[in-house]
Amino acid sequence: MTAASPAIPAAPAAKPSLAGSTRAELDAALAGLGVPAGARKMRTEQLWGWLYRRGATGFGDMLNLGRDLRGALGETFTLDRPQIVAEQVSADGTRKWLLRLAPTGPLDKGAEVECVYIPESDRGTLCVSSQVGCTLNCSFCHTGTQKLVRNLTSREIVAQVLVARDRLGDFPGSERPTDGLVPSGEGVRAVSNVVFMGMGEPLYNYDSVRDALSVLTDGDGLALSRRRVTVSTSGVVPAMGPLGAETGASLAVSLHATRDALRDQLVPLNRRHPIKELLDACRAYPGASNARRITFEYVMLKGVNDSIAEARELVRLLAGVPAKINLIPFNPWPGTAYECSDWETIEAFSDVVFRAGYASPVRTPRGRDILAACGQLKSETEKMRARARMMLEESLAAGQD
Ligand code: SAH
Ligand code: SF4
């Protein structure tokens, strides 16, 4: 007979974190503490500056808020970020973090997401996740085989950027790490670009992504340039216009095929929003111009979508759309039926695209050394590892403005 397990005591309710909050969320938090409406605008601006210009991780230094309010904030809230469970640094400076999000309830241990940072001499690109898992089932994508655990909140999306800026010494008064390349110099940001190419379909979590973008691009805070923030979509056509109009973010579109019959198989959302509808939405994308092109992602799948005829068709399809083309070597994962195209095939495909006037359509992979070792991360599943490889290449392939 086995002994009955003792009752599990309920976990003490953790204090919620305000890190990553929008102005409206800060206002609501202050209202909850009894700060009168007339004082809240100023208090919100003060908190905003501490959170996003200074990178504050606690309320203790916020002398301009007054002792009582500081005390009340500290009793009720934290400024905790997701925890870095593991970090890997590549010889080329690429970093990969496994982040554990705060539990959402007593039975939740805290979902994990990965975030990848790719430095270059004059910029640094952070690849963030918008969902844990994905409800779409693109046949070549490992995340697509994972059921959606949940949408990330806008706070959790912004917090990925805060974690990176903390770790990279990107807030005033902190030091750049010395264990790898991080761009430096007067006024140079460690994190200058953000791409939504991690886990999830950002436009299926539209409100959170929009709110996160409003925090990331706010000139009085994190102050990322809108054109340096890129949202990648598999083609959620109805949300594309609102994204451009409401956020001004740059757009990347996962095209991957030039015919509907093939795209229906690779990106099943194509059955609802076929190629013509998708490209019409791209032509109408607010703010798209030759100076501000839409990135088209095209994953190179051996014998599936990599013929010269398809390269020509791709160029023909995109005529008249202000476009950049990124050819992505397929990252295989355990159990996939697809293979990456041969290098010669990728070169021949890329030559056609290049001759049509698109610069550097294929990017050199970075951070291979840490990816080879990424099984050492405490990722729950193989999917996370395959995903991390994919994220890295994707991040290189876009966000290059
Ligand atoms: N859901 C969004 C954004 C996240 S996926 C989207 O689909 O656009 C980011 C990019 O990675 C997409 O272009 C996606 O098609 C690509 N991708 C997914 N799995 C991949 C793999 N195994 N190898 C290479 N690229 C992959
Ligand atoms: Fe989801 Fe994008 Fe993967 Fe498709 S490619 S399953 S939309 S994460």
Side-chain angles (χ1 to χ4, degrees):
M1 210 179 96
T2 49
S5 19
I8 302 166
K15 289 192 254 183
S17 174
L18 290 181
S21 296
T22 58
R23 281 197 166 81
E25 287 167 334
L26 293 180
D27 183 82
L30 291 168
L33 295 179
V35 177
R40 287 210 294 275
K41 194 167 187 322
M42 182 186 81
R43 294 303 190 200
T44 296
E45 286 311 312
Q46 288 171 325
L47 263 176
W48 188 263
W50 282 107
L51 261 58
Y52 301 126
R53 277 200 303 275
R54 308 282 288 270
T57 53
F59 299 103
D61 291 338
M62 302 183 180
L63 297 181
N64 57 350
L65 291 186
R67 189 192 300 183
D68 291 350
L69 181 53
R70 274 202 314 276
L73 282 165
E75 270 165 33
T76 319
F77 301 105
T78 70
L79 292 178
D80 290 350
R81 283 80 156 109
Q83 186 195 348
I84 299 181
V85 182
E87 173 184 59
Q88 286 184 297
V89 186
S90 154
D92 67 16
T94 300
R95 283 161 196 267
K96 184 156 56 93
W97 295 292
L98 181 65
L99 303 181
R100 184 168 307 136
L101 306 172
T104 53
L107 296 179
D108 179 8
K109 288 203 204 90
E112 289 175 350
V113 289
E114 279 176 334
C115 202
V116 177
Y117 174 69
I118 302 107
E120 289 165 87
S121 55
D122 60 343
R123 81 187 72 190
T125 302
L126 188 72
C127 176
V128 298
S129 294
S130 56
Q131 299 180 308
V132 181
C134 187
T135 50
L136 294 166
N137 294 306
C138 301
S139 52
F140 57 90
C141 173
H142 217 161
T143 306
T145 65
Q146 191 178 344
K147 74 177 193 335
L148 172 69
V149 178
R150 67 177 174 87
N151 280 334
L152 298 192
T153 63
S154 64
R155 280 199 300 282
E156 289 167 332
I157 297 171
V158 174
Q160 295 171 61
V161 179
L162 297 181
V163 167
R165 293 197 62 181
D166 290 343
R167 187 68 194 91
L168 297 170
D170 214 10
F171 281 117
S174 57
E175 304 266 308
R176 292 276 198 266
T178 52
D179 61 350
L181 169 83
V182 179
S184 58
E186 188 64 29
V188 175
R189 304 266 200 100
V191 179
S192 57
N193 295 48
V194 171
V195 293
F196 283 71
M197 293 185 182
M199 201 178 267
E201 169 49 57
L203 297 189
Y204 270 3
N205 185 14
Y206 182 82
D207 290 356
S208 295
V209 168
R210 178 200 56 208
D211 291 350
L213 288 169
S214 77
V215 178
L216 299 182
T217 61
D218 186 287
D220 293 327
L222 293 169
L224 283 155
S225 149
R226 284 169 203 279
R227 55 187 302 139
R228 288 169 175 254
V229 179
T230 303
V231 175
S232 175
T233 181
S234 57
V236 184
V237 166
M240 286 166 56
L243 178 79
E246 291 189 286
T247 73
S250 296
L251 182 68
V253 171
S254 297
L255 191 59
H256 306 319
T258 56
R259 287 171 289 119
D260 280 324
L262 178 59
R263 196 164 188 272
D264 283 351
Q265 288 172 29
L266 300 179
V267 185
L269 185 63
N270 194 67
R271 292 178 205 146
R272 216 177 308 158
H273 303 296
I275 294 174
K276 180 175 181 314
E277 199 190 315
L278 178 59
L279 291 182
D280 284 346
C282 290
R283 285 191 192 89
Y285 188 69
S289 68
N290 279 338
R292 198 142 178 236
R293 293 165 190 268
I294 296 171
T295 302
F296 288 88
E297 300 153 277
Y298 195 97
V299 64
M300 298 299 294
L301 302 169
K302 187 177 195 163
V304 174
N305 66 353
D306 60 355
S307 69
I308 292 296
E310 280 158 310
R312 294 205 183 103
E313 184 56 17
L314 176 62
V315 165
R316 200 193 61 76
L317 260 186
L318 295 182
V321 182
K324 293 192 259 189
I325 297 176
N326 282 142
L327 304 179
I328 311 158
F330 171 63
N331 277 307
W333 36 274
T336 180
Y338 296 109
E339 286 174 77
C340 182
S341 307
D342 301 325
W343 190 246
E344 305 77 71
T345 312
I346 298 181
E347 277 191 333
F349 195 106
S350 129
D351 278 350
V352 173
V353 172
F354 182 76
R355 283 200 302 273
Y358 299 95
S360 320
V362 195
R363 299 263 164 200
T364 323
R366 295 264 308 268
R368 286 279 188 198
D369 51 344
I370 57 168
L371 295 172
C374 69
Q376 289 160 15
L377 276 178
K378 273 215 164 317
S379 286
E380 287 173 0
T381 61
E382 282 291 316
K383 290 168 201 159
M384 293 284 276
R385 298 196 270 274
R387 184 68 202 174
R389 284 195 287 277
M390 189 282 300
M391 283 165 65
L392 191 66
E393 309 229 325
E394 274 309 285
S395 310
L396 286 166
Q400 298 291 326
D401 279 322

